[in-house]
Amino acid sequence: MDARRQLHDIGSAVSSDFVRNRSLLSFEEYVQLFLGAPGQQLRNAAQYLVDAIDAFGTEQVPHPTGRIRRFKVFDATPEEPDLRVAGQEEVQNAIYRLLGNFVRAGEVNKLIFLHGPNGSAKSSIVECLKRGLERYSQTAEGAQYTFNWVFPTEKLMKGSIGFGGEKGGPSGSLATFAHLAAEDLEVRLGNPLREHPLLLVPVAERKRLIVEALDPKSELVVPSVLLEGQLSQKSKKIFDALLAAYGGDYLKVLRHVQVERFYYSRRYLAGIASVEPQMSVDASFHQVTADRTQGNLPPALHSTVLFEPHGALVNANRGLIEYADLLKRPLEAFKYLLGFCESGEVPLEHFSLQLDEVLIASSNEKHLAAFKELPDFASFKGRIELVRVPYLRRWRVEREVYDAQVNARTVGRHIAPHATAVAALWATLTRLKKPQADRYPPDVRTLVERLSPLEKLRLYQDGEAPERLTLQQQKELKKLAPQLYEESDAWPNYEGRSGASAREVKTALLNAAQSTEHDSLHPLAVLKELSALVRDKSVYEFLQQEIVDGYHDHTEFVRVAEEQYLEWTDREVRESMGLVSEGQYEELFERYVQTVSAWVKGERVQNRITGQAEKPDEGRLAEFEALVMPKGDDAKEFRKGLIATVGAWRIDNPEGQVEYRRIFPDLFKRLSDHFYDERRRTLRINAENVLKALSGERSALSAKEQQQVQKTLEVMKAKYGHTEASARDAIVFLMKKRYA
């Protein structure tokens, strides 16, 4: 492999990308670009962030209150698989609405304030927005431009008047120095503020240019920063000096403008910045003419005092700035935000900074509650928009957090099935509150009053009502799911404010991964760590809550998680043994529904053996209903309700086959439980044979038994992700708890 050729190929690729991305332009070329796509160039920070979010797209996802919009900018990427916001769609939509308000107002006039308990994904939400800005700025639609000042060498332009201008050149000449080679430039003054090129056009002419460029029917709200904005102190001084030196020839001034495309970057603090809770000034400046470049500046600038701002606010201009844990800083350190939110300006010693950036701050609930007690809060209240970020209350969504961060790559071990699931189930149970039954109508008050934490969790997750209820009661409770989910939204101590933090649970998972009792991160090790965690009440504040009718009983929740793990394992072992296929359940249930449908309509059904049309067999219907119908239900009402549910599902899903298992998960569970109760002895013997084979006693089994064991293990590995060791541990635990 030839190094020279490789470097030549790389150089060619970089050069072609540079040209294709239009990285350097003259001012005339930029104006032409602006006239071709004015909407793309007339974006302030809020509009640009909205466009970045929109570029990733949206999707509708399930939610306890119905389908809800999720923004894909918060999903993982191949480059950053661990950076993803699980759930929190309400927060995503709230931020998007606020950004839309800024766009319609034509300015960012408020601080978006994310508040919630520690570890509720506030930082991850902002980090995903930053990543979205980065990736969008690399696309053609996301191209953003700023400008620099360039001055050619004396040897290139003899007889200059101090700026490399061509002496005696024709007035109005628009020759540009923007594309000169580096060796032909004496000085190139960068632009740390990344000022918009249109600010080089005087305000009155700029407004006319914008009006003429836009379609008369356009509903675009032009940002005030582009309509009324002014150049920074540094650029204004250079502009005025150039204009005076050229005798007012504006076009000659523009020869020194080099328009440059810039890209947002977290690493290099371009259009993105974070301010940690430390006592420091967020913006400052230094004098350009005091450094070693002074001698290289054109003579006409030697007497001009130029100041160059720097700091987090400067880095974030035209983008986004995050104030992490804002309220941990002394109040005096961020009081300037009062004026900044309203005017978009920050006064410094020699000049004011005019900035255009989206401001997002975060805080936990304790600091916010204390802040609200201060007299200064009244001043801030009208300048901030509070967005609540609670803990997740759906365990499968919570599990996504752990699956992304605790995997074989991060812990260096196999992750046994359900290891993260039991942790997620326990964590979400700790966050639930007992419903206030007196807030509901009398006819459903008892249903709400008796709802256990696990039942409430299942209602949130899958809209699943308790099996103990009648079909009608289940329907009533499912209708209440949105109201239950939003019940505490107006409470100071809302549901999701307290409970186990994802950070704490992640630590328990990582500790469990080091267990010497298992060859993997096993659910049993996780349960052991959770049992240890709930004993440490002096460390975790949520463990000090009073138990109310089963709610906040965190020790009991460990047992509930263990029982759920047994349920999952039991079902997997049953199905791995292949004593009955899932297809048989589907067929049996479908036959029952067809018979019930005929019964409701008063029609006959075809006898599968004789082929004759007969009345529906009431005896067979009753036999099946004894297995699946909740106790206390009236058979006739149960049948009518079942057909009505199928009909409603068909209206929402007109295409494809009816998914009975999805519509009636509780009925399918009762059916499978009954089947396996009848075959309990067979299951126990098969499980014992599996354990014998795994403990080296395979020779004691018959050929048929060995074949059954092999089939069971293959399914547990292929379908459920077990290793032989994790399967053995799961079966031993199952045998001990259920089949002893």
Side-chain angles (χ1 to χ4, degrees):
M1 185 177 292
D2 182 22
R4 182 185 293 270
R5 181 173 180 179
Q6 289 292 324
L7 290 174
H8 178 76
D9 292 344
I10 294 172
S12 298
V14 172
S15 298
S16 61
D17 285 345
F18 186 85
V19 174
R20 184 174 64 253
N21 293 330
R22 299 175 69 95
S23 295
L24 290 180
L25 304 171
S26 67
F27 192 76
E28 181 183 16
E29 290 170 331
Y30 174 76
V31 172
Q32 191 62 50
L33 181 70
F34 162 72
L35 294 174
Q40 188 172 327
Q41 299 304 317
L42 291 173
R43 296 186 284 191
N44 65 353
Q47 181 64 69
Y48 190 83
L49 184 52
V50 167
D51 290 348
I53 294 171
D54 289 341
F56 288 84
T58 63
E59 61 180 332
Q60 294 291 316
V61 296
H63 190 265
T65 59
R67 307 285 289 182
I68 191 170
R69 178 176 56 175
R70 176 178 176 83
F71 293 91
K72 294 183 180 180
V73 71
F74 297 100
D75 291 343
T77 63
E79 298 79 17
E80 295 180 272
D82 296 341
L83 179 55
R84 178 183 186 274
V85 176
Q88 302 293 13
E89 284 81 18
E90 307 100 310
V91 180
Q92 298 172 22
N93 281 277
I95 292 173
Y96 190 79
R97 282 194 297 271
L98 291 174
L99 292 173
N101 291 342
F102 298 155
V103 171
R104 286 185 286 276
E107 60 181 348
V108 179
N109 51 20
K110 289 189 178 182
L111 168 74
I112 299 175
F113 201 110
L114 306 181
H115 64 99
N118 292 326
S120 61
K122 298 184 291 295
S123 297
S124 296
I125 289 169
V126 180
E127 200 64 25
C128 284
L129 291 175
K130 294 177 184 177
R131 181 184 61 189
L133 284 174
E134 279 187 339
R135 296 185 64 194
Y136 181 60
S137 71
Q138 295 164 8
T139 66
E141 297 77 14
Q144 286 280 68
Y145 294 90
T146 183
F147 64 89
N148 309 304
W149 295 102
V150 292
F151 303 94
T153 61
E154 287 292 330
K155 66 178 181 180
L156 185 69
M157 294 293 181
K158 295 295 183 181
S160 76
I161 55 174
F163 299 95
E166 192 174 8
K167 187 176 181 180
S171 178
S173 171
L174 202 58
T176 179
F177 306 135
H179 299 300
L180 289 178
E183 59 268 21
D184 294 327
L185 289 177
E186 193 73 56
V187 178
R188 179 179 181 270
L189 295 178
N191 198 327
L193 275 168
R194 289 169 299 283
E195 294 175 87
H196 200 292
L198 287 180
L199 297 182
L200 289 162
V201 181
V203 173
E205 287 75 14
R206 190 192 315 157
K207 290 180 178 178
R208 179 182 56 78
L209 176 66
I210 290 173
V211 169
E212 292 180 359
L214 288 174
D215 188 315
K217 298 180 181 179
S218 173
E219 297 181 358
L220 178 72
V221 177
V222 181
S224 59
V225 69
L226 294 180
L227 284 175
E228 308 289 346
Q230 302 286 348
L231 290 169
S232 67
Q233 186 268 357
K234 173 184 167 183
S235 291
K236 178 63 172 170
K237 288 282 188 180
I238 296 173
F239 181 91
D240 289 345
L242 282 169
L243 195 63
Y246 284 128
D249 194 330
Y250 175 71
L251 298 184
K252 282 191 175 182
V253 173
L254 295 181
R255 295 189 299 177
H256 296 274
V257 173
Q258 181 189 66
V259 177
E260 179 181 18
R261 180 175 178 179
F262 73 89
Y263 300 88
Y264 291 82
S265 172
R266 289 170 284 173
R267 178 183 293 275
Y268 302 113
L269 303 180
I272 296 172
S274 294
V275 179
E276 297 298 326
Q278 59 197 14
M279 185 62 178
S280 63
V281 179
D282 299 326
S284 186
F285 61 90
H286 68 268
Q287 189 172 328
V288 177
T289 48
D291 63 25
R292 64 193 182 100
T293 62
Q294 181 178 1
N296 295 327
L297 288 172
L301 286 179
H302 286 180
S303 60
T304 303
V305 179
L306 303 179
F307 294 104
E308 190 162 278
H310 60 84
L313 282 170
V314 175
N315 295 334
N317 192 38
R318 298 186 68 189
L320 180 152
I321 186 168
E322 173 194 15
Y323 290 90
D325 290 317
L326 176 68
L327 299 182
K328 288 183 180 179
R329 312 176 84 200
L331 181 62
E332 296 303 319
F334 60 87
K335 244 184 177 179
Y336 69 86
L337 290 176
L338 284 171
F340 182 31
C341 290
E342 196 163 16
S343 66
E345 294 188 4
V346 177
L348 299 179
E349 183 180 351
H350 297 285
F351 55 89
S352 289
L353 275 178
Q354 186 177 58
L355 300 168
D356 168 34
E357 51 199 74
V358 175
L359 297 87
I360 300 183
S362 63
S363 173
N364 61 37
E365 294 293 0
K366 281 189 174 182
H367 286 98
L368 179 59
F371 182 52
K372 288 180 177 179
E373 299 299 319
L374 298 177
D376 288 295
F377 178 71
S379 301
F380 277 92
K381 187 168 60 175
R383 296 172 174 88
I384 62 176
E385 290 284 357
L386 294 172
V387 178
R388 180 182 291 169
V389 188
Y391 285 139
L392 298 173
R393 290 173 283 164
R394 290 176 288 159
W395 72 266
R396 285 199 180 94
V397 181
E398 178 78 8
R399 183 179 62 184
E400 294 175 12
V401 177
Y402 309 133
D403 287 342
Q405 300 178 12
V406 183
N407 47 56
R409 176 176 55 83
T410 57
V411 303
R413 305 183 83 180
H414 170 253
I415 309 297
H418 314 305
T420 55
V422 295
L425 186 77
W426 177 82
T428 44
L429 282 170
T430 68
R431 302 165 185 170
L432 301 184
K433 286 186 169 295
K434 181 175 174 59
Q436 299 294 314
D438 56 354
R439 295 172 178 262
Y440 296 85
D443 56 329
V444 295
R445 196 168 292 165
T446 303
L447 299 179
V448 174
E449 177 70 29
R450 295 179 180 176
L451 201 61
S452 73
L454 183 60
E455 290 171 344
K456 190 178 187 184
L457 187 71
R458 287 173 172 167
L459 187 65
Y460 282 172
Q461 178 59 57
D462 300 311
E464 179 184 336
E467 296 178 12
R468 59 181 171 79
L469 302 180
T470 66
L471 200 62
Q472 183 59 35
Q473 288 174 327
Q474 289 180 4
K475 286 182 179 179
E476 292 295 330
L477 190 59
K478 289 177 182 179
K479 290 179 183 177
L480 293 175
Q483 189 175 345
L484 282 163
Y485 191 79
E486 297 175 341
E487 178 189 68
S488 67
D489 282 359
W491 303 355
N493 189 20
Y494 54 86
E495 187 174 70
R497 174 174 176 169
S498 60
S501 163
R503 294 173 185 168
E504 296 158 356
V505 177
K506 180 184 174 183
T507 300
L509 286 166
L510 294 176
N511 290 339
Q514 301 177 52
S515 171
T516 57
E517 298 178 18
H518 309 277
D519 75 330
S520 59
L521 171 55
H522 201 279
L524 297 178
V526 176
L527 291 168
K528 188 174 181 179
E529 286 294 329
L530 295 178
S531 297
L533 188 153
V534 297
R535 291 194 292 269
D536 209 345
K537 295 185 179 181
S538 62
V539 176
Y540 303 106
E541 188 176 348
F542 74 93
L543 296 176
Q544 301 167 17
Q545 294 172 297
E546 180 184 355
I547 298 174
V548 181
D549 293 340
Y551 289 85
H552 315 309
D553 191 346
H554 309 304
T555 302
E556 173 62 15
F557 293 156
V558 177
R559 192 201 64 77
V560 171
E562 177 187 291
E563 186 61 30
Q564 186 60 63
Y565 168 62
L566 281 169
E567 190 70 29
W568 293 328
T569 302
D570 201 352
R571 190 160 301 165
E572 289 174 1
V573 171
R574 297 172 186 174
E575 293 181 359
S576 297
M577 290 178 178
L579 298 179
V580 66
S581 68
E582 295 184 16
Q584 287 177 282
Y585 289 133
E586 296 278 1
E587 183 182 351
L588 185 62
F589 199 90
E590 183 177 5
R591 203 183 312 156
Y592 168 73
V593 173
Q594 290 172 349
T595 306
V596 169
S597 177
W599 177 86
V600 170
K601 297 175 183 177
E603 299 174 349
R604 292 176 176 267
V605 294
Q606 188 178 32
N607 188 301
R608 294 166 63 89
I609 299 175
T610 65
Q612 299 295 317
E614 302 173 350
K615 288 184 178 181
D617 190 329
E618 291 274 1
R620 285 182 178 271
L621 289 177
E623 184 179 337
F624 187 85
E625 287 156 1
L627 305 180
V628 301
M629 189 174 70
K631 292 181 180 179
D633 265 17
D634 178 76
K636 294 182 179 179
E637 292 301 319
F638 176 80
R639 296 170 190 174
K640 292 177 181 178
L642 183 137
I643 296 302
T645 302
V646 173
W649 189 91
R650 175 56 81 186
I651 291 173
D652 294 335
N653 304 271
E655 303 295 331
Q657 193 172 356
V658 179
E659 300 177 30
Y660 293 113
R661 183 181 290 275
R662 181 178 165 190
I663 305 172
F664 304 106
D666 49 340
L667 303 188
F668 269 84
K669 183 178 181 300
R670 294 192 189 104
L671 188 62
S672 63
D673 286 349
H674 171 77
F675 174 85
Y676 283 111
D677 281 342
E678 290 188 337
R679 291 156 179 79
R680 191 178 188 86
R681 182 173 178 276
T682 304
L683 280 166
R684 181 174 57 80
I685 293 172
N686 285 352
E688 288 174 349
N689 289 340
V690 172
L691 294 178
K692 286 179 182 179
L694 292 176
S695 60
E697 300 179 28
R698 189 180 290 267
S699 59
L701 304 177
S702 68
K704 184 177 180 181
E705 289 172 334
Q706 290 187 31
Q707 186 177 7
Q708 172 67 40
V709 166
Q710 187 64 30
K711 180 182 177 183
T712 300
L713 289 174
E714 286 176 358
V715 175
M716 291 190 76
K717 289 178 186 177
K719 186 173 182 179
Y720 299 111
H722 279 282
T723 62
E724 284 195 358
S726 69
R728 179 195 63 231
D729 293 344
I731 293 174
V732 166
F733 189 66
L734 180 65
M735 294 285 290
K736 177 182 176 182
K737 294 289 184 177
R738 290 199 171 180
Y739 292 98

